[in-house]
Each structure stands twice: as C-alpha cells, then as structure tokens.
C-alpha cells in the first residue's frame, strides 16, 4: 500500500469520526483531529508530483521515502483507532446500551403488519444506544509530533522528486530473449490482421498513418512486430523500413537521429515503415508527430508502435491492437520448441508438458522462462516434469522471480491513484474471476477514495481505474463480456489477474505490509506476518494450528485491518481467529460455520463481513453498527419444514449499511419510521406479499434489488402485481431481480395493466416464476432505459410473443430460459440495439424471426427445439451486417455445439460458414 492510499484511508477515518451521527466527540478532540486532517490534505497533491516525472528517472529513493510516510501514517492511525475501539466496546457492553432481548423474537412478531402494536418507544431507545461518547484528548500530545514529522517528510519528498537521478537499470535484458531473435509461434491470426493493416493505403495518400500494438509485458509485442517487419510482402510494399528500440530511457533526439540516418536519400513514391518498439511515454509520440509533419519527404509513412500503455498513443492512431495470450496448444508448441528444438516432445513427457504449458496461462515470456529452466536442468525424468506440473518444486517460483524484473516497472510507474486498486487484485484466489462489483465494495470499505468529498462519484471513478488498469495498462484481463455497461468505462462483469502479475502484487504487498498471502505454516511464523495489515489465507486450515494462531496474535493481530479466507471451500468449521480488535474486513465465505461466531460481535470497527452460516443471526448483530457490507450465505439451499428464518429486526439500527446480501432469510419492516438511508444493494432476502409494500418504503437510495417473494395458493395475483407498484417508488433503482417462490399459474388470468409498474430508470430486469401472459410484455418494452432483460422459469407464458413496434429501444441483451414459447416475432422498429438473444431450455421453440436491422448480432440456443436452429439459420442479414448462431445440445447421445455465421461479402452476396464440435453437457450449460 502506498503512502497515497494510507493517507486517503486516514483522512476518511478522521472524517467519519468527526461527522458520524454515532459519535459525540468530546471537546477539544474535534479540533485536535482537524489539525491532523488539514496536514494530510495537501499530501495527496505532493505525492502526485511523482506521476509527472520521466520513466527514465530512478525512483529508488522516492519509493523508500514513500514507505516511511506510509509507516508514519499507519502509526498515527493505530494510535487513533485503538482507544476508539476500547471506548466503543466498553459502552456497547455497558448495561442499558445493548440488551440481548431488547428486540428479540417477540419484537420481530410485534413488527409484522398483522399486529397493531407500535415500536416507537423502542426506536427512541435504539437511537440512544447507538451513540457513543468519544474522548481523544490524549492525542494532543501526539498530533504536534505527527504534524512536524509529516511536514519534514513532505519537504524531503518534494526535493527527492525534483532531483531524481537517471535510472541505471536495464529492463531490456530478458524481454530481448523473446523479442526480435525469437521465432514467432502462435498469433497467426493477429499477424495476418496486422499485416493487412500495414498494407492498406487509402487513395495512395501521403498522409502519415499510425498503428499501435499493445499488451502486457512479455506478451510478444516485439516478436509480432519483428515478424511482420521481416515479412517478404512487407519488404516489397515498403521501400524503406526503420526499426528503433525506445525503452524507458530513450530521448527523442536519439529517436529522430535514428530515423534520419535510415531515411537519408529517401525518394518520392517509396513507402516507409517506421517501427518504434517499447514506447513508454506519450512525449515521444507527440515529438515524433511534430517531427514527421516538418519533414517534407512526400512519401507515405506508416508508424507502428509497440507499447504496454495505450495512454502513450494519440487520436492520430487509426488502429489499436491488443496482443492476445497464447492458446493452450500454442503455449505447448512454444514450450516444446524452446526445450527440445527441432525434436518432438518425448512421449513420456507429453502429459506433463501440456500441464506445464497450461500453467503458464498463455504468457510467452513465462513460457520461455520456464522452458529455459527446464533446458538447464537437462532432465527428461518424467517424475521431475510431473513435479514441475504439480508445483512440487521451485521451477515456477524461480520463473516468477525472473520475469518480475520485466513486469515490475509497469507497476512501479503506475499513477498513484492506480497502485492500490491494482495491488488489491492480488488478494483474490488464483484462477478466480474477480467481480468488478466486489472490488468496488472492498475498496470502498477500505476507506479508499480519490476524493473523500466526492464519495457519491466513487463507483464511476473505480470503474475508470479498472478500465485503465485492464484496457490501457494491460495489467489485468477483462473476462465474461456483458452488453450491460457497469459504468461508461466497462463492458465486462469480471476481470482476471495473470498468475505472474498476482505474484508481483503479492510480493510488493508483502514488502509494504499491505497484505500477506499465506499457504504454508512456515510463512505465518514471526517475521512472515509481523506488522502485516491484512492476512489472506490460501490454506483455510491455518487457524486450526496453535503455532500459527500464536504467531498471528503476537505479531500482527493487534494492528491487522483485514482477514480473508481465500482457499478452497472448507465445509467444516475453523476458528476465524481472535484478538483482531481493529479488524475492518472479514471475508470467511469459504468457511462453513454451523453457528454465527459470537466473538465477531466484539469487532465494533468492522465495516465488511461475509460469512457462510446456516445458523440464525443474533439479535445483537447491531453491535456491529459500523458495518457497510453484510453478506451471509447458507451452506446449502435445502428448505426444511420449520418456522421461517428472519433477519433480526435490529438490522434497522445499522444505519451505515450500504450492501446487504443475505440469502434465504425473511426481511420485514418495523412499524416505526426507521429506514436504511444509505442502503444501495439488497440481494437474496425473502419477503411476503403482505409485508413488501412497507419494506420498500424504507430504502430511499436503492440501486440494486434482488428479492424472493413467497406466494401461496390462496394469494391473488393482484396482490403480486401490487408488489411491482411498491417497487416502482424506488426512483433510483437500476437493477431488479424478482423471483416467485412456489409459483401458482392461473390459466386465462387477466389483470388491469395499470397494476404492473416498474421504475422508469431500470437498466437490468430479471424476472422468474411470474406466469404472466406475453400480451403484457409491452409494459416492460416501454421502459426507456432498459438494457438487459432476463426471463426465467415461466416469467411469461404462452406460445407466441409478438413484440410491439418501437418497443425495447435500448435493450442489448435478452434471455428467455425455461419457457413454453413457440414463436418469437419482434415487429419492425423493436429491439434496434439488441446485441445478443439467448434462448435456453425452450423445448417448444420453433420460430425465431428477426427484422433485418437486428442482424450483426448473436443468437445463442441451448437445449432448444432443433427447429429453432433451422429457423435462425434462415435469417437474412442486411448489407454490412452479419449473424452468428450458436446452438448447443446436451441431451443427444453425443452432445454437440453448432456454430453458424451468415454475412454479406465485399460484393454484396450472402455467404455462410458453419462448424460443428463435440461438447460436454457442462460446457453446453
């Protein structure tokens, strides 16, 4: 964690103490805290001075100073939060502040709408017991020293940034091994694309053209560019070719001299190709563009740039190509070529070689480095290769350490505001698709904001950060594209971190004591965990070992802020650790707990809590009044015949809650005026029709709602429809997921259309088990902002859905799953923006009829009637459009996937291509 992140965290902590309605801060404590806050305020701008320095400058001294500033801030934060914790805990445990039975089961019964009793008295008492007297006067002896030390360090920081020496580190040594001297294996598709772009010249214009290929360090950018540079067709097309290696240290004068030397004597009508390899700074490109404009060569010049960061490019670039990772077969081919040369891989090593190549995750630099280690061992012993494949020796660790020399500069030269979000990705398990929403939530609860005064813009800001990390800086990969935009920057649900980058993140975080990933007992002893602010357990059983628990208790428990169990799911209880008095985040979803661990209730500074627990939540859950995120998952979803399980009514005392995700438990609203004004996400709770109207009036800022509604055979559908009327009052709602438990379908049922209402700002709508007729779909089709619609489990019923003209104007994704639909017929003018139509388990589906303007889209059929595929493949696209149809059938004796593409060729004729592959039922579903 950089000083930048530490300063933001402390500023938010002080701001929360000063302005929280839970605290009565005794004078002169507010003024004391304000003095410290004011000294932190300009620190952010001072630290950002580093971002404006050249990449050729050495940051060794500045980084060391950054670490000292961070340690000073953490020292003060510990000094502040330790007494805060003690004062809150003592008042929480004091009689009259919190009573076990104050809002017990009887209180829950009294809160149900069927009862006439009021809880106004309890509400008043509840308000009093959630306010705490905080006295921090002792800090007046420490704040002056903190301020003076911070001032001295800020002055030193400014001086060191202004006087940074040139870096003598050579970061080209390893990358050159897989660069111009390497034979390119794989990427043949991107080679052809790049070659075609380089040989495309509009109207034989002499205007300069700019093309960039970008990607992670070691991805093969240089090798791809060099292969194209030496291609015979390129040699014929370009009479002059110039290759200039840039790197972190290059000055533009050197670049211009290299170009001039190669271009001397250039003649008119000769095409010229200039390759700038490994560009780090936009300044180089800006200078080059001005230089070329001044040169009167009267020739066509194409500039090809390789870079890790697209921020080095400019609007002049006509094409940006991200170099992809190698496929598994390409990875194995490269590995074997580097180890065995012209010889084939020995038969006895083939299986291990496949596994080793797969573990490299398609990164050429990683593959080549592992191959070099294998070659040096000169071992063809199958046991040795099996040990490498199963991580039973140090080969992969040695490879990670080696390539870190190439990867680390990409992290080191990140802007200050990107370092913490990027490091944070390393706390997630390996081979894990990281939900963007989870990163946002965890960074928010970390107290990290770019500007604490603009918290409401945080979601958009973190979206921008993740976009830059993935798409611009090429440090992570977006995964699972979605047509619904999480923000204007993102079109993906998840992202994934390559194992090599996860290793770099883990190593840098461990050095800075931001977090420590632990898998073995020896890693958790003494110096391994000393002073760490976060523990990430890849082995969830470590807390069952006394030596480990003692080491944690003595070395870091008193200052740790986060504890994550990230190992494989463990279905037997393990102690979650104790003595973590300042813990702010606890994620134990991968541990099964039979009952709610009551020791957690002493963690009164906890902001994020995620557990897997089948037991009831205690009525004293409101002791955790600081919680912003509460996630409770059951071990299983088996329903048994017993009294309903409810979320304790005391949850309405937890006014800081922003995210509630409690699966399978009922939530009822109290009869008094309490509301959760900060709650923006409520997912997984059950509600009855008779309570839902009161419930949704309690969430004025709700953005995402996922609710299960219990329906009995005696309930009138009009009551069900009234639920949507209640939901429609949530004006800020963007995502709605509504499922009916035990649906009861009534044939030929009609209802007044005025009863079905939805918030006009909805962007995503998921419905399940409603059983409505398709004729009412026009009510959804008129929503002006709807982009994603998912209909499951007979949400709508009937053989034919004929969408009205001009409906679903912004819809991009449509899913229909488990339906009796036979014909889907959208009328002209409907679904103009639809990008994907997905039909799953629609066994009666026979007709898919799309207007021609819907072409250029994707249709996905999973276990549908084969006639639906026949209908889809007869669709005729308009000019300049295409249609992709994918059909998977898992119920055949040999499951298959059929892919079909139809499009216009350059002459305007419709062309077709089809492929059929075997698949397993799991891949089909």
């Amino acid at each position: 964690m950089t000083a930048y992140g530490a300063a933001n965290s402390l500023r938010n902590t002080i701001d929360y103490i000063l302005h929280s309605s839970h605290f009565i801060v005794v004078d002169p404590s507010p003024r004391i805290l304000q003095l410290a806050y004011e000294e932190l305020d300009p620190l952010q701008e001072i630290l950002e001075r580093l971002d404006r320095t050249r990449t050729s400058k050495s940051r060794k001294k500045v980084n060391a100073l950054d670490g000292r500033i961070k340690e000073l801030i953490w020292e003060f934060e510990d000094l502040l939060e330790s007494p805060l914790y003690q004062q809150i805990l003592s008042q929480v445990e004091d009689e009259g502040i919190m009573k076990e039975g104050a809002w017990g089961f009887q209180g829950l019964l009294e809160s149900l709408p069927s009862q006439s009793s009021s809880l106004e008295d309890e509400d008043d008492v509840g308000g009093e017991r959630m306010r705490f007297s905080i006295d921090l006067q002792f800090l007046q002896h420490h704040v002056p020293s903190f301020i003076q030390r911070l001032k001295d360090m800020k002055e030193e920081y400014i001086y060191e940034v202004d006087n940074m020496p040139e870096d003598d580190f050579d970061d080209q040594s390893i990358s050159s091994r897989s660069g111009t001297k390497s034979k390119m294996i794989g990427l043949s598709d991107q080679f052809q694309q790049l070659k075609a772009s380089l040989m495309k010249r509009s109207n034989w214009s002499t205007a300069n053209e700019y093309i960039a290929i970008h990607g992670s360090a070691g991805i093969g950018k240089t090798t791809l560019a060099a292969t194209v540079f030496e291609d015979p067709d390129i040699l014929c097309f370009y009479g002059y070719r110039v290759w200039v290696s840039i790197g972190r240290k290059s000055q533009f004068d050197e670049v211009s001299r290299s170009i001039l030397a190669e271009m001397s004597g250039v003649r008119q009508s000769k095409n010229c190709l200039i390759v700038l390899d490994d560009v780090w700074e936009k300044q180089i490109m800006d200078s080059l563009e001005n230089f070329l404009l001044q040169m009167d060569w009267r020739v066509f010049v194409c500039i090809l740039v390789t870079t890790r960061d697209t921020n080095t490019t400019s609007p002049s670039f006509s094409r940006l190509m991200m170099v992809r990772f190698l496929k598994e077969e390409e990875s194995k081919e490269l590995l074997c070529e580097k180890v065995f040369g012209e010889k084939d891989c020995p038969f006895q090593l083939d299986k291990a070689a496949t596994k080793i190549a797969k573990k490299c995750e398609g990164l050429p630099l990683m593959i080549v480095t592992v191959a070099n280690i294998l070659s040096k061992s000169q071992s063809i012993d199958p046991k040795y290769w099996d040990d490498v494949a199963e991580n039973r020796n140090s080969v992969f660790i040695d490879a990670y350490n080696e390539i870190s020399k190439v990867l680390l500069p990409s992290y080191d030269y990140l802007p200050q505001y990107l370092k913490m979000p990027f490091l944070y990705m390393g706390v997630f398990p390996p081979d894990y698709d990281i939900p963007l929403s989870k990163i946002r939530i965890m960074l928010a609860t970390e107290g990290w904001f770019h500007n604490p005064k603009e918290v409401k813009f945080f979601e958009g800001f973190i979206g921008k950060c993740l976009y830059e990390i993935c798409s611009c800086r090429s440090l992570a990969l977006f995964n699972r594209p979605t047509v619904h935009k999480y923000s204007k920057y993102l079109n993906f649900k998840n992202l994934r971190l390559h194992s090599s980058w996860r290793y770099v993140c883990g190593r840098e975080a461990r050095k800075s004591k931001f977090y420590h990933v632990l898998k073995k007992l020896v890693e958790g002893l003494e110096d391994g965990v000393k002073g760490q602010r976060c523990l990430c357990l890849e082995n969830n059983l470590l807390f069952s070992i006394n030596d480990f628990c003692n080491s944690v208790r003595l070395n870091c428990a008193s200052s740790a802020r986060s504890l994550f169990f990230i190992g494989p799911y463990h279905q037997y209880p393990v102690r979650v650790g104790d003595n973590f008095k300042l813990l702010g985040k606890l994620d134990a979803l991968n541990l099964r707990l039979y009952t709610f661990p009551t020791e957690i209730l002493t963690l009164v500074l906890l902001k994020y809590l995620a557990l897997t627990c089948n037991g009831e939540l205690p009525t004293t859950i409101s002791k955790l009044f600081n919680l912003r995120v509460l996630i409770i998952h059951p071990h299983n979803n088996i329903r048994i015949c017993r009294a309903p399980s409810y979320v304790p009514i005391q949850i309405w005392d937890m006014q800081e809650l922003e995210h509630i995700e409690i699966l399978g438990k009922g939530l009822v609203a109290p009869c008094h005026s309490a509301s959760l004004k900060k709650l923006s996400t409520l997912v997984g709770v059950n509600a009855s029709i008779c309570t839902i109207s009161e419930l949704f009036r309690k969430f004025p800022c709700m953005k995402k709602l996922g609710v299960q509604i219990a329906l009995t055979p005696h309930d009138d559908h009009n009551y069900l429809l009234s639920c949507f009327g209640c939901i429609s009052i949530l004006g800020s709602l963007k995502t709605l997921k509504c499922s009916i438990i035990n649906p009861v379908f009534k044939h030929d049922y009609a209802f007044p259309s005025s009863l079905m209402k939805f918030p006009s700002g909805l962007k995503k709508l998921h419905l399940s088990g409603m059983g409505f007729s398709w004729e009412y779909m026009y009510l959804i089709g008129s929503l002006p902002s709807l982009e994603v619609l998912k209909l499951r489990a007979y949400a709508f019923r009937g053989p034919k859905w004929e969408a009205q003209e001009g409906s679903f104007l912004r819809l991009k994704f449509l899913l229909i799953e488990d339906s009796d639909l036979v014909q889907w017929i959208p009328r002209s003018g409907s679904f103009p923006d639809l990008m994907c139509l997905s039909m799953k388990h629609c066994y009666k589906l026979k007709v898919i009829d799309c207007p021609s303007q819907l072409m250029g889209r994707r249709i996905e059929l999973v276990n549908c009637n084969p006639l639906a595929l026949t209908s889809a493949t007869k669709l005729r696209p308009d000019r300049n459009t295409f249609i992709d149809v994918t059909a998977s059938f898992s119920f055949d004796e040999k499951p298959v996937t059929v892919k079909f593409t139809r499009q216009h060729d350059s002459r305007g004729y419709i062309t077709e291509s089809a492929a059929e592959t075997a698949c397993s039922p799991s891949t089909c579903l």
Side-chain angles (χ1 to χ4, degrees), residues 380-660:
I380 58 172
D381 180 8
K383 183 180 183 305
Y384 173 77
W385 281 63
D386 286 340
D387 288 344
V388 175
E390 301 299 331
N391 274 343
R392 291 194 290 261
N393 56 30
S394 65
V395 167
F396 271 90
I397 297 299
D398 294 341
Y400 287 141
N401 285 325
E402 182 73 5
I403 69 174
S404 293
K405 302 171 187 177
V406 175
L407 302 182
L408 189 58
S410 291
Y411 164 75
D412 198 23
Y413 289 91
L414 278 177
Q416 297 289 332
Y417 67 90
L418 290 181
K419 285 189 174 180
M420 185 175 168
F422 178 60
L423 277 185
Y424 217 85
M425 295 179 189
V427 306
F428 295 97
D431 301 322
Y432 178 68
D433 289 336
I434 309 170
L436 302 183
S437 57
K438 189 163 187 175
I439 295 180
R440 178 187 61 80
I441 291 170
M442 299 189 85
L443 284 172
T445 53
E446 185 72 32
W448 182 84
F449 303 102
H450 185 56
N451 186 340
K453 297 178 182 179
E454 298 182 355
V455 175
K456 63 181 180 179
F457 303 117
F458 178 72
E459 181 173 340
F461 175 70
I462 193 59
K464 178 179 181 294
C465 289
L466 297 178
Y467 175 84
E468 186 169 353
I469 288 171
C470 295
S471 295
C472 300
R473 307 277 176 170
S474 305
L475 298 178
L477 292 174
F478 283 131
N479 201 19
R480 290 182 61 195
T482 174
V483 295
H484 174 64
K485 295 183 179 179
Y486 176 80
S487 75
K488 68 177 182 179
Y489 298 101
L490 302 181
N491 293 311
F492 292 80
K493 290 184 177 180
N494 304 325
L495 57 83
R496 178 176 284 252
L497 199 61
H498 191 277
S499 59
S500 59
W501 276 117
R502 186 173 186 268
Y503 181 84
V504 170
C505 287
R507 192 179 69 174
E508 292 303 304
R510 183 172 64 252
K511 284 166 54 180
S512 63
K513 299 189 183 302
F514 177 29
Y515 64 79
H516 188 9
V517 179
L518 300 161
K519 192 171 185 177
K520 301 177 182 178
L521 173 61
V522 67
E523 298 171 341
L525 300 180
E526 297 183 4
D527 291 342
V529 296
K530 190 172 183 179
Q532 294 290 340
R533 308 286 278 196
C534 171
L535 299 182
C536 306
L537 277 65
E538 282 193 8
N539 182 349
N540 291 336
L541 295 177
L542 286 176
F543 268 114
S544 64
I545 303 173
N546 287 332
D547 287 346
F548 179 82
C549 292
N550 292 333
S551 177
V552 169
R553 177 174 55 83
L554 293 173
N555 292 290
C556 71
S558 62
S559 61
R561 297 310 202 273
S562 303
L563 178 60
F564 301 133
F565 292 85
I566 63 174
Y569 184 75
H570 188 71
Q571 58 180 325
Y572 299 102
V574 173
R575 60 196 296 186
V576 296
D578 42 28
N579 299 305
F580 290 91
K581 62 180 183 179
L582 302 183
L583 206 66
K585 291 194 294 298
L586 172 59
D587 191 329
L589 280 178
N590 287 349
L591 288 181
R592 179 189 181 186
L593 303 171
Y594 291 148
T595 59
F596 187 92
T598 55
E599 63 270 19
I600 290 178
L601 297 176
T602 64
L603 304 178
V604 292
L605 299 184
L606 206 62
K607 299 175 183 176
Y608 179 102
L609 176 61
L611 300 175
T612 293
C613 174
N614 275 86
E616 300 296 328
L617 296 181
T619 58
T620 49
I621 186 70
S622 57
K623 286 184 178 182
L624 305 179
F625 68 95
N626 269 308
L627 273 184
R628 298 179 184 176
V629 177
L630 178 59
I631 301 174
I632 305 293
H633 289 183
H635 172 64
N636 54 55
N637 289 317
I638 298 176
R639 300 189 183 95
I640 58 177
C641 295
R642 65 177 184 185
S645 178
Y646 287 96
V647 178
I649 202 72
Q650 287 82 0
I651 202 168
W652 296 93
D653 281 336
M654 303 169 71
Q655 293 295 303
E656 300 300 319
L657 277 172
E658 300 171 7
H659 181 108
I660 297 178

Side-chain angles (χ1 to χ4, degrees), residues 137-194:
Q137 294 184 60
F138 77 98
L139 285 176
Q140 63 187 346
H141 303 297
H142 301 277
V143 168
S145 173
F146 170 73
I147 290 175
Q148 186 58 51
R149 291 171 64 189
L150 192 58
K151 281 182 177 179
D152 293 342
M153 287 184 178
K154 286 191 289 189
E155 292 177 2
E156 184 181 357
Y157 190 90
I158 293 173
Y159 174 82
E160 292 294 347
V161 169
D162 291 343
N163 295 275
M164 295 166 63
E166 291 293 323
D167 195 351
D168 59 357
F169 177 74
D170 182 8
D171 60 5
Q172 304 294 324
S173 57
I174 299 179
S175 60
S176 64
R177 291 207 299 257
S178 60
T180 56
K181 297 180 182 179
S182 297
K183 172 187 174 183
M184 191 181 78
I185 294 177
L187 301 180
S188 59
D189 54 335
Q190 293 197 315
F191 168 80
Q192 294 297 338
Q193 293 172 17
L194 181 57

Side-chain angles (χ1 to χ4, degrees), residues 1 6 9-10 13-14 17 33 70-86 136 138-139 142 146 513 530-534 555-562 581-584 605:
M1 183 177 183
S9 178
L10 179 56
T13 298
I14 294 175
I17 294 173
L33 290 178
K70 176 206 66 184
E71 291 293 338
L72 173 63
I73 293 172
W74 278 357
E75 179 184 322
F76 185 81
E77 192 172 41
D78 290 347
L79 194 65
L80 170 62
E81 290 194 329
S82 292
L84 179 69
Y85 165 81
Q86 294 294 344
L136 301 172
F138 77 98
L139 285 176
H142 301 277
F146 170 73
K513 299 189 183 302
K530 190 172 183 179
Q532 294 290 340
R533 308 286 278 196
C534 171
N555 292 290
C556 71
S558 62
S559 61
R561 297 310 202 273
S562 303
K581 62 180 183 179
L582 302 183
L583 206 66
L605 299 184

Side-chain angles (χ1 to χ4, degrees), residues 867-878:
L867 292 177
L869 173 61
T870 303
S871 176
T873 55
K874 292 180 179 179
L875 298 173
R876 301 182 64 84
D878 274 350

Side-chain angles (χ1 to χ4, degrees), residues 333-345:
E333 182 182 356
L334 177 59
L335 178 77
C336 294
E337 193 272 339
K338 292 297 180 182
V339 176
F340 304 111
E342 299 296 328
K343 299 179 182 179
D344 293 334
C345 175

